[in-house]
Amino acid sequence: MMTVHPRFFSRALKSFVIVGFGAFLFGCQESAPETQAITLKIAGVMPVFFEAQYGNSIRTENYDITIEFVPYELIPRDGGPSENLENLYSSFQPDVVNWSGALSPLIDQGLLAPLDVYIQKSGFDASVIPDVLKQRITKEGSNEIYAIPNRFSTEALFYNRSMLDQFEIELSDASPLSWEQLFQLAAIVPPEDGQGNAIIRLLETGEDESDANKLFSLIRIAALAENLQAINKDNGDVYVNSSSWQKLWQTFIAAFNQKLISSSEDIKPFIEQLDDEQSLRMDDVHRFKPFTDGRAAFVLGNSELLFYLQREELDFEWGIAPQPGTYQVFTQLAEALLINPSSEHKDAAWELISYLSSAEQTQRFLLAKPGDANQLFSNFPMHMDLLEQHLNRSLAPFYNQPSSQESYFDASPLPDVLSLAIYESSLSLIEEVLKESLSVEEALEQLQVKLESISAELFEGE
């Protein structure tokens, strides 16, 4: 089972998803002559959404496809990703699967059919797949593609351009800052405006989270952005008492103490302005309220915040820059279309996937009705160029960084007991550092000893 800390849920992707699968929507296709009738079984879609948009049949270039749905409520979800997919294959024999989440372990175990032969034969333009996604759909050490990422999620650094201009702060939309550089810029912004109203420098969302939890989340994000390991997953070696980890803890705790990172108390006045229904949905755009109200300088945000800012009339200008750090941490496949290696209808399955992920389908969503695109694209489409044209805005900060080896949303490669120990012990120790009961060095020394003890038992003899 996957162990995650609570911060995961407030950043999790938005889609028609229930643990491991998404839903996608379809449109109409011009008729094609001399097609072959065939039935394809699809898993990971909600029939009500599928049929509302298309019905239960689709005509591609060479096939009249009748869709048979794997009952959504019967899709295996109790095990790990590989176990769930294997059980899905053995129980229902789907031809096509719509998957959300990490694919690397599934690719390594041969659970996905390679797609390059179909891509080359059909002339499918794989160059439209953003680079940030390619390592998520290819086998390590190879460029061979195993899924088409129809929808995905990442995050970027949103900033209040009007506020930064007021204080003569320049920020590049092309090159990512380091976290130290971001805090240097944040420190230029005063804590209050001329009327005595508080200004949040870096908004860390989540009103109901402890400050230690906020700091743990940010430290983890910064570590992932540099591919920095806490523990070696292969041999159990522990690295948390290294100079790199000490620097991370010192950087974020110092920034928090200087009030460059929002505390739970900083956010409360904004949350109190929400009605009861909005407060219950603090995992959506309402968690960004200090920023959308023009009272925060910086915040990490996703497509949901982007679409909200695009459609609202605001009294300030805003911009986006790459997420701080070397690597994009929040890469997540929301809807990845893959073929069962045991399918007897791979050619037809590929034509279906090719059609569903086509530029024409993306364009249809974008042009459906005013405002509909923002609702349909709660995540980003693979065809980011079309979305950029539609919004008249470059979205490169969301996809121009290489993806980190481990995504913020991936199941931990460590045993659950170690993942939980890192989380719980780190929270306790961060709290002690904030109270000045421990120094960062003392806290990390204690964490090193604790994790080494647990790791030694788990990796004994290896």
Side-chain angles (χ1 to χ4, degrees):
M1 293 293 291
M2 171 183 173
T3 298
V4 295
H5 61 81
R7 192 66 185 85
F8 170 90
F9 297 103
S10 61
R11 291 189 181 272
L13 60 85
K14 297 286 174 47
S15 189
F16 302 110
V17 176
I18 303 178
V19 189
F21 294 91
F24 44 79
L25 309 176
F26 308 112
C28 301
Q29 166 87 342
E30 295 180 359
S31 60
E34 299 182 5
T35 54
Q36 176 185 345
I38 196 168
T39 297
L40 289 182
K41 188 178 290 188
I42 299 181
V45 304
M46 291 182 180
V48 63
F49 293 113
F50 183 100
E51 292 181 330
Q53 292 295 314
Y54 195 84
N56 62 357
S57 64
I58 295 173
R59 176 167 289 185
T60 62
E61 182 178 358
N62 297 301
Y63 296 95
D64 275 322
I65 300 173
T66 298
I67 301 299
E68 180 180 344
F69 300 102
V70 173
Y72 199 80
E73 67 277 7
L74 298 182
I75 291 173
R77 296 184 177 90
D78 293 336
S82 299
E83 180 184 355
N84 286 340
L85 188 57
E86 288 177 324
N87 289 339
L88 176 67
Y89 285 163
S90 62
S91 298
F92 299 102
Q93 298 82 47
D95 300 287
V96 175
V97 177
N98 186 37
W99 185 265
S100 67
L103 291 177
S104 295
L106 311 181
I107 294 172
D108 293 341
Q109 295 176 48
L111 297 177
L112 281 64
L115 301 182
D116 284 68
V117 62
Y118 307 103
I119 289 172
Q120 293 165 8
K121 185 167 62 175
S122 65
F124 182 87
D125 184 8
S127 68
V128 302
I129 301 174
D131 288 343
V132 71
L133 301 179
K134 287 184 177 174
Q135 77 180 68
R136 296 273 156 185
I137 60 171
T138 57
K139 192 167 187 175
E140 188 174 359
S142 166
N143 292 322
E144 193 168 35
I145 293 173
Y146 284 80
I148 300 300
N150 208 30
R151 300 281 185 272
F152 72 98
S153 177
T154 59
E155 295 194 12
L157 180 68
F158 288 75
Y159 59 91
N160 185 320
R161 177 176 285 138
S162 299
M163 187 181 295
L164 267 56
D165 287 347
Q166 178 183 353
F167 300 109
E168 300 182 346
I169 298 173
E170 295 185 3
L171 179 62
S172 169
D173 291 354
S175 302
L177 299 168
S178 68
W179 282 98
E180 292 89 342
Q181 290 171 327
L182 175 59
F183 291 135
Q184 288 170 5
L185 295 181
I188 299 173
V189 179
E192 294 183 351
D193 63 14
Q195 288 73 48
N197 299 310
I199 295 176
I200 291 176
R201 273 74 82 86
L202 173 64
L203 171 63
E204 171 58 4
T205 60
E207 179 265 347
D208 58 344
E209 293 179 359
S210 69
D211 293 332
N213 208 331
K214 291 172 180 285
L215 286 171
F216 175 83
S217 177
L218 286 170
I219 290 169
R220 180 169 176 251
I221 289 167
L224 290 171
E226 306 304 329
N227 288 331
L228 181 62
Q229 291 182 314
I231 300 176
N232 187 308
K233 64 181 177 63
D234 296 318
N235 59 25
D237 288 350
V238 180
Y239 310 122
V240 294
N241 197 24
S242 65
S243 58
S244 296
W245 279 101
Q246 287 179 8
K247 182 179 179 182
L248 280 186
W249 278 52
Q250 289 165 346
T251 296
F252 283 93
I253 290 173
F256 183 81
N257 286 334
Q258 295 168 37
K259 300 188 181 300
L260 302 179
I261 301 171
S262 64
S263 67
S264 298
E265 289 298 317
D266 294 330
I267 298 175
K268 277 185 179 179
F270 296 92
I271 306 308
E272 290 170 355
Q273 299 171 25
L274 301 174
D275 60 36
D276 291 341
E277 183 180 353
Q278 291 172 327
S279 295
L280 289 172
R281 301 200 313 271
M282 274 303 293
D283 61 337
D284 61 19
V285 74
H286 300 296
R287 63 193 173 96
F288 298 108
K289 184 170 174 56
F291 186 84
T292 58
D293 282 358
R295 302 294 300 283
F298 302 100
V299 67
L300 287 173
N302 55 13
S303 57
E304 183 177 51
L305 178 58
L306 172 73
F307 296 141
Y308 177 86
L309 295 173
Q310 280 285 146
R311 69 175 178 260
E312 295 296 316
E313 293 186 8
L314 304 170
D315 58 5
F316 66 94
E317 296 294 322
W318 56 276
I320 52 174
Q323 164 225 288
T326 304
Y327 299 101
Q328 170 59 245
V329 169
F330 299 103
T331 309
Q332 188 179 26
L333 298 175
E335 297 177 9
L337 303 174
L338 56 95
I339 297 177
N340 181 349
S342 300
S343 171
E344 297 179 356
H345 309 295
K346 292 186 181 69
D347 286 332
W350 168 253
E351 284 201 13
L352 175 61
I353 288 175
S354 180
Y355 169 62
L356 300 175
S357 58
S358 66
E360 290 76 16
Q361 286 296 312
T362 299
Q363 196 71 284
R364 186 180 67 82
F365 289 145
L366 293 171
L367 300 178
K369 292 178 183 177
D372 278 0
N374 292 346
Q375 297 164 17
L376 287 168
F377 290 123
S378 54
N379 293 292
F380 289 122
M382 177 178 69
H383 294 275
M384 288 294 280
D385 57 328
L386 297 180
L387 182 59
E388 288 176 318
Q389 292 171 23
H390 182 75
L391 300 179
N392 193 29
R393 176 184 291 272
S394 171
L395 303 178
F398 285 102
Y399 61 83
N400 67 354
Q401 286 172 287
S403 184
S404 57
Q405 292 175 358
E406 179 186 339
S407 168
Y408 186 89
F409 301 105
D410 287 348
S412 172
L414 299 173
D416 283 357
V417 64
L418 266 180
S419 297
L420 191 59
I422 292 173
Y423 172 61
E424 292 181 341
S425 298
S426 294
L427 289 191
S428 175
L429 291 167
I430 290 172
E431 288 174 351
E432 293 301 311
V433 174
L434 291 176
K435 292 187 295 186
E436 299 185 352
S437 300
L438 291 174
S439 66
V440 166
E441 293 79 7
E442 290 169 335
L444 288 177
E445 184 177 356
Q446 289 187 24
L447 184 60
Q448 177 83 17
V449 172
K450 174 75 174 288
L451 296 179
E452 282 180 342
S453 174
I454 298 172
S455 182
E457 294 182 11
L458 293 172
F459 290 88
E460 186 177 2
E462 295 187 13

